[in-house]
Amino acid sequence: MRACAEGVLLYPVYALLFADAGLTTAEISSLFAIWSVVSFACEIPAGALADIWSRKRLYALGELLTATGFALWLVWPSFPGFALGFALWGLGGALSSGTLESIAYDELGDSTTYAQVIGRADTIGLLAMLAATLLAAPALAHGGYPLVGIMSIASVTLGGLLALRLPDTDRTKDRTEGTSSYLTTLRSGLTEVAGSTVARTALVAAAVPGFSALDEYLPLLSGDKGAGPTDVPLLFAVTALAMAAGSALAGRVSPASPRPLAASLTLAAPALAAGALIPHLTGMFLVSAAFGLLQFAMVHAESRLQEAITGGSRTTVLSVAGFGAEVFAVLLYAGFALPLPLPVLFATAAVPLFLTVPLTARRRGSR
């Protein structure tokens, strides 16, 4: 469930690329819809494919498709080119979703070690995202969209090639009939998610990343509190650093007990609400702290889900959680369309976040 925007210079400026190409706001919104629909449709089927094939090769293929999508934006800067590029990005993201995490857990074997490794990886990824955001402006100024695009394509392609060096097992040797094996794996993963223990864990692992979609509205919230255009990147940097700290801390705290996860969510909800409602820029520091706690919770929720999975359809289960995170994010976006002040919407979003806390409790008899 790692974000593919990490280290991609195009991410903070691609909306400008579309606008400069003459697209209207409605057309840009339709591009986001294409991206979401393709991601939704392919997420779970791609997870099942990873469970019967080589996960690292599937990840590399996904990164290559994403890089190809970015290349299309450069060579065909029009609505059809952007749409096809987004479709490839959505497919590539679905193919790579959950694959590296499955490889890591299979190699490490327990949730505590997994949390340590993924916590460090997320910290590096968040810092890379921050660096990419800061580098995008000078790169755009010196080389325009071609330079930003080429650097992004190179970054994604390199990530895919490096993944090929990871240990992995080609699962086609252990399967019988191709189509039959695929459907069996898909059904097995969905059945495991429906189990009482995994269902609760998967729900938390889906909901917490879904709430992180609130970061799309942080610039608007900053502006509502009086931040100028030059202040917004600095405030974003504070949030990114808080999230990096949350990842680093998550790697140092064992996820074996549900208490750290519950505590982080219990603190994140009121921090988010209070920070949003404070009518001053100082409130953004509380909001940043809430995002740091959310990042901590994401690492632990995913680690606990990995531990709960016992069958051979690991990536399928992770993909179901990834699909759920996308659904939560869309519901969040729909809620933010309500005609209410932005601080009130943020504070309202803290309520369902707080309601996830009881789901983290370990049921009697569960692992």
Side-chain angles (χ1 to χ4, degrees):
M1 305 172 190
R2 312 274 79 76
C4 60
E6 295 165 359
V8 176
L9 273 66
L10 265 173
Y11 188 74
V13 299
Y14 63 65
L16 299 177
L17 169 63
F18 304 152
D20 289 346
L23 269 64
T24 65
T25 301
E27 287 175 325
I28 294 174
S29 296
S30 67
L31 291 177
F32 294 152
I34 292 171
W35 187 19
S36 296
V37 168
V38 173
S39 297
F40 276 20
C42 298
E43 178 82 23
I44 298 175
L49 180 59
D51 284 326
I52 65 168
W53 194 46
S54 168
R55 287 168 178 157
K56 68 179 182 182
R57 292 175 187 170
L58 197 66
Y59 180 88
L61 176 60
E63 294 296 272
L64 180 60
L65 288 173
T66 298
T68 303
F70 291 161
L72 273 175
W73 291 356
L74 299 182
V75 301
W76 193 7
S78 62
F79 182 84
F82 295 143
L84 183 56
F86 260 124
L88 289 174
W89 189 359
L91 176 58
L95 291 177
S96 59
S97 176
T99 52
L100 289 185
E101 293 83 352
S102 295
I103 293 173
Y105 191 86
D106 284 344
E107 290 297 316
L108 298 172
D110 68 272
S111 61
T112 298
T113 309
Y114 177 83
Q116 292 172 350
V117 173
I118 292 300
R120 294 185 195 127
D122 278 355
T123 300
I124 295 171
L126 288 163
L127 293 176
M129 182 179 67
L130 176 58
T133 300
L134 296 176
L135 286 173
L140 189 62
H142 286 86
Y145 294 116
L147 177 60
V148 173
I150 290 171
M151 293 178 70
S152 300
I153 293 168
S155 173
V156 173
T157 303
L158 179 60
L161 293 176
L162 288 175
L164 291 175
R165 299 180 63 85
L166 293 172
D168 191 20
T169 302
D170 190 336
R171 289 159 188 80
T172 54
K173 298 177 181 178
D174 301 324
R175 307 290 182 176
T176 53
E177 300 295 329
T179 303
S180 174
S181 173
Y182 175 81
L183 294 177
T184 300
T185 300
L186 179 60
R187 184 165 53 249
S188 174
L190 295 176
T191 301
E192 183 163 10
V193 172
S196 59
T197 301
V198 176
R200 287 163 57 89
T201 312
L203 185 58
V204 177
V208 177
F211 284 107
S212 70
L214 286 167
D215 64 358
E216 300 286 353
Y217 300 97
L218 290 180
L220 298 177
L221 183 64
S222 300
D224 187 79
K225 295 181 182 298
T230 57
D231 299 322
V232 172
L234 296 176
L235 292 169
F236 173 81
V238 172
T239 303
L241 289 173
M243 293 175 69
S247 285
L249 181 60
R252 294 177 176 272
V253 179
S254 173
S257 168
R259 291 179 181 175
L261 174 58
S264 62
L265 293 173
T266 301
L267 293 172
L272 179 66
L277 293 174
I278 292 175
H280 190 270
L281 278 178
T282 54
M284 292 304 298
F285 290 96
L286 264 180
V287 173
S288 295
F291 271 83
L293 290 164
L294 269 177
Q295 185 64 33
F296 178 99
M298 277 191 277
V299 173
H300 271 227
E302 182 182 319
S303 300
R304 291 180 61 76
L305 176 58
Q306 290 273 24
E307 184 182 35
I309 300 170
T310 58
S313 302
R314 181 171 300 278
T315 315
T316 305
V317 176
L318 294 178
S319 294
V320 172
F323 178 84
E326 294 287 350
V327 172
F328 273 102
V330 169
L331 292 175
L332 194 69
Y333 295 149
F336 269 65
L338 296 174
L340 295 172
L342 197 59
V344 174
L345 291 172
F346 265 86
T348 303
V351 176
L353 175 60
F354 186 77
L355 293 178
T356 62
V357 176
L359 295 175
T360 65
R362 190 193 299 271
R363 280 189 171 182
R364 182 176 300 176
S366 65
R367 294 189 308 135

